[in-house]
Every structure is written in C-alpha cells, then in structure tokens.
C-alpha cells in the first residue's frame, strides 16, 4: 500500500489493518521459533548419542587411526631430518680435518676420461658440482690459424704436447692445510704408466 492510500484511509480501518498485519507476523514468528527449537533439540540429541557411543565408535576409531598415522609420519620426517643433519655434520667434520676450514673451492679440471672437454668444478660447504663445458683451446681453429695475436691469446696457458689442458683450482678458507690439500690432489693424478697410455688408452680403461 502507498503512503497516499494510508493517509486517505479511515483511522479505524487503518488500525484494523495494522492489527491484522501484526497477528500475521506474530504467527509467522511462532512457526519459525518452533522450527528453530526443533532443530536445536535434534542437534543436542545427536551430540548426546555420539557421546554415548563411546570409544568403540567407528568415527572415533578412524580419528584415532588418522592421528596415529600423522604422528608416525611426523616421526619419520623428523628422523630423516636428524639423519640428514648428522650426515652433513660428519661431512663437514671430515672436510675440516683434511683441509682446514674450507669455505669455497672452484676451478676446472683435465679429466682422462673426458680428454677434450673442460670439466668445471665448484664447491660451497657440503655442496659440490662438476659439469662439462666447452672444449679446450687446443681444439679450436683460432689456436692454429690466423694472426699471431689471436693465436697467442688462445695459447696463453699452452704446454706441449697437450696444449692448454691443465688443472687449475682455487681454495678459499681459514687455516687451510696446504700440504695436505696438495697431497690429496696429487693422489688423483695419473701415474707415469697411466699417462703413457695416451688418450685412447685412457678412454679404453
């Protein structure tokens, strides 16, 4: 109804209309209240039934099993982490005993089983990488042909008969044991007999 209709209506008729509307809304409220009370009672009965079922209930069993599985997985993860920590500490201790407090090492290697390829090595803490990059300059045309300046640049570290193939490494740290490091590296070199085999023999053996 519009405001104009309500202003033009007789006061008694308007009061009767408002009373009827009030009774309608009151009845609707009572129906909603009864529905709410019914739902609340059903919820309370469900909770009481769940409590009365006791620890033998399937849901409780599943919940306990899931908790036990989670605890087992957490224990396994913690055990693996602790094992990894112990392994890293053992490696660090062994490295310190051999080299001193080595922080960083980098350089490139001439590997017998990869005679033509530069091996780049890098170490930081317990992490070490070894990758193969470009060929040595001895296999590049610029080292053999062209002007003298270019050839000199390519032959900067040249030594016959192997060209620029060599070991070149840098060790960075505190209180490093230079003699021990040198001995360990020397043990990695080919013997005179192995060196005499040449590239084909190195690849074959």
């Amino acid at each position: 109804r519009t405001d104009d209709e309500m202003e033009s209506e007789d006061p008694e008729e308007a009061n009767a209309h408002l009373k009827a509307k009030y009774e309608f809304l009151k009845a609707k409220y009572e129906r909603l209240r009864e529905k709410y009370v019914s739902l609340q009672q059903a919820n309370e009965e469900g909770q009481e039934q769940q409590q009365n079922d006791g620890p033998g209930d399937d849901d409780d069993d599943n919940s306990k099993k899931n908790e036990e599985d989670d605890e087992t997985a957490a224990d396994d993860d913690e055990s693996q982490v602790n094992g990894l920590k112990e392994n890293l500490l053992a490696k660090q201790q062994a490295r310190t005993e051999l080299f001193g407090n080595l922080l960083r090492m980098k350089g490139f290697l001439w590997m017998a089983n990869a005679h033509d390829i530069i091996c780049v090595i890098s170490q930081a803490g317990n992490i070490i990488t070894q990758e193969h990059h470009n060929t040595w300059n001895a296999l590049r045309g610029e080292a053999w042909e062209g002007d003298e300046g270019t050839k000199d640049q390519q032959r900067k570290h040249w030594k016959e008969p192997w060209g620029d193939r060599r070991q070149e490494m840098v060790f960075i740290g505190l209180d490093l044991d230079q003699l021990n490091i040198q001995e360990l590296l020397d043990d990695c070199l080919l013997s005179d007999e192995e060196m005499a085999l040449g590239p084909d023999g190195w690849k074959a053996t």
Side-chain angles (χ1 to χ4, degrees):
R1 301 176 65 195
T2 64
D3 293 340
D4 293 339
E5 290 176 340
M6 293 181 65
E7 290 177 0
S8 62
E9 189 175 30
D10 182 75
E12 293 183 1
E13 184 179 351
N15 289 335
H17 178 77
L18 290 174
K19 184 177 181 180
K21 188 172 183 179
Y22 167 78
E23 293 296 334
F24 170 78
L25 292 175
K26 182 179 178 181
K28 186 174 182 180
Y29 164 77
E30 290 297 332
R31 288 195 300 271
L32 291 174
R33 180 176 177 279
E34 291 175 359
K35 186 175 182 180
Y36 168 76
V37 171
S38 178
L39 290 173
Q40 189 176 31
Q41 289 177 347
N43 184 45
E44 292 175 354
E45 290 174 358
Q47 291 179 352
E48 183 179 356
Q49 180 65 33
Q50 186 176 8
Q51 293 176 354
N52 293 335
D53 286 341
D57 184 74
D58 291 341
D59 291 339
D60 289 343
D61 290 342
N62 291 334
S63 177
K64 287 184 176 180
K65 185 177 184 304
N66 291 335
E67 291 178 0
E68 291 174 356
D69 291 342
D70 291 342
E71 291 177 358
T72 301
D75 291 341
D76 291 342
D77 291 342
E78 184 177 359
S79 177
Q80 291 179 0
V81 170
N82 290 335
L84 181 60
K85 287 181 179 179
E86 292 176 359
N87 186 35
L88 293 176
L89 289 174
K91 288 183 177 181
Q92 181 180 5
Q93 182 178 357
R95 185 176 64 251
T96 302
E97 291 175 356
L98 290 172
F99 301 136
N101 190 12
L102 178 63
L103 303 176
R104 184 86 165 84
M105 180 271 291
K106 58 184 178 179
F108 44 84
L109 310 174
W110 170 24
M111 306 289 290
N113 60 351
H115 176 62
D116 296 332
I117 307 297
I118 300 173
C119 177
V120 177
I121 189 169
S122 177
Q123 171 269 334
N126 286 326
I127 300 175
I128 185 168
T129 59
Q130 183 175 311
E131 301 175 346
H132 291 87
H133 282 242
N134 296 327
T135 60
W136 295 98
N137 290 350
L139 298 178
R140 299 178 183 176
E142 296 89 339
W144 301 93
E145 299 177 341
D147 61 83
E148 291 301 321
T150 300
K151 287 195 292 185
D152 289 344
Q153 182 65 29
Q154 294 293 317
R155 294 181 175 224
K156 185 176 180 180
H157 300 284
W158 205 268
K159 186 175 181 179
E160 295 292 352
W162 308 113
D164 62 320
R165 296 178 179 89
R166 66 195 185 280
Q167 322 291 351
E168 188 169 304
M169 304 172 68
V170 176
F171 292 80
I172 304 170
L174 301 173
D175 300 324
L176 296 180
D177 190 335
Q178 182 178 351
L179 293 178
N180 201 22
I181 292 174
Q182 186 66 57
E183 289 179 1
L184 290 169
L185 293 177
D186 288 344
D187 289 340
C188 297
L189 297 176
L190 298 181
S191 65
D192 292 340
E193 292 78 9
E194 291 170 331
M195 195 70 183
L197 294 175
D200 291 339
W202 302 338
K203 294 177 182 179
T205 58

